[in-house]
Amino acid sequence: MENTTALITGASGGLGLEFAHLCAQDGYDLVLAARNENKLNQIKKELEEKYHISVSVFAVDLSKKDSALDLYRFTKEHDLSIEILINNAGFGLAQCQ
Ligand SMILES: NC(=O)c1ccc[n+]([C@@H]2O[C@H](COP(=O)([O-])OP(=O)(O)OC[C@H]3O[C@@H](n4cnc5c(N)ncnc54)[C@H](OP(=O)(O)O)[C@@H]3O)[C@@H](O)[C@H]2O)c1
């Protein structure tokens, strides 16, 4: 049986990366989105090796117009069926001060 898939935005660091580890630990395949493609690819490699799940990454600036639609299209083009959304992208408190 195929794993179920969780989509996590803001997954290149902070809370989003922690959520990615927790979902991977529970056996979910993942779609990870954030701006930093290099970090996302490093995380993909690490999580796939550690948890034996499948990780797709999509580098995107979600503050840009139509970016959410681009992400949606990415999931459709790759036949990824999303069961869980963790819509976490944003900035931490330190950057607000
Ligand atoms: N930490 C807290 O105490 C706290 C409290 C209340 C709410 N929150 C909220 O929880 C979320 C995560 O917080 P955090 O502390 O983990 O923040 P963080 O460490 O700054 O991480 C933010 C994540 O979001 C991504 N991101 C930021 N802007 C983005 C954009 N325009 N498009 C796509 N991805 C973007 C970042 O990756 P890239 O730089 O690679 O894009 C990173 O992966 C935020 O939405 C924050 O507002 C946090």
Side-chain angles (χ1 to χ4, degrees):
M1 201 177 89
E2 281 185 22
N3 290 349
T4 48
T5 302
L7 166 59
I8 306 172
T9 69
S12 66
L15 297 173
L17 179 56
E18 295 303 317
F19 289 132
H21 275 275
L22 290 173
C23 289
Q25 212 172 302
D26 285 348
Y28 288 96
D29 286 334
L30 299 173
V31 180
L32 305 180
R35 291 167 299 188
N36 189 322
E37 189 165 22
N38 287 339
K39 270 199 204 166
L40 288 175
N41 280 321
Q42 278 171 21
I43 292 163
K44 169 183 163 69
K45 190 168 179 289
E46 192 184 312
L47 294 180
E48 286 183 337
E49 282 174 10
K50 188 167 180 186
Y51 300 105
H52 309 291
I53 54 150
S54 171
V55 180
S56 303
V57 301
F58 187 65
V60 61
D61 182 345
L62 288 164
S63 69
K64 295 264 162 57
K65 187 174 177 286
D66 292 337
S67 56
L69 187 58
D70 292 341
L71 176 55
Y72 172 76
R73 287 189 179 127
F74 172 83
T75 65
K76 288 292 151 200
E77 279 161 16
H78 292 80
D79 205 19
L80 298 162
S81 171
I82 308 300
E83 283 81 23
I84 293 180
L85 169 64
I86 302 179
N87 196 16
N88 154 86
F91 42 82
L93 292 178
Q95 293 175 26
C96 299
Q97 294 163 350

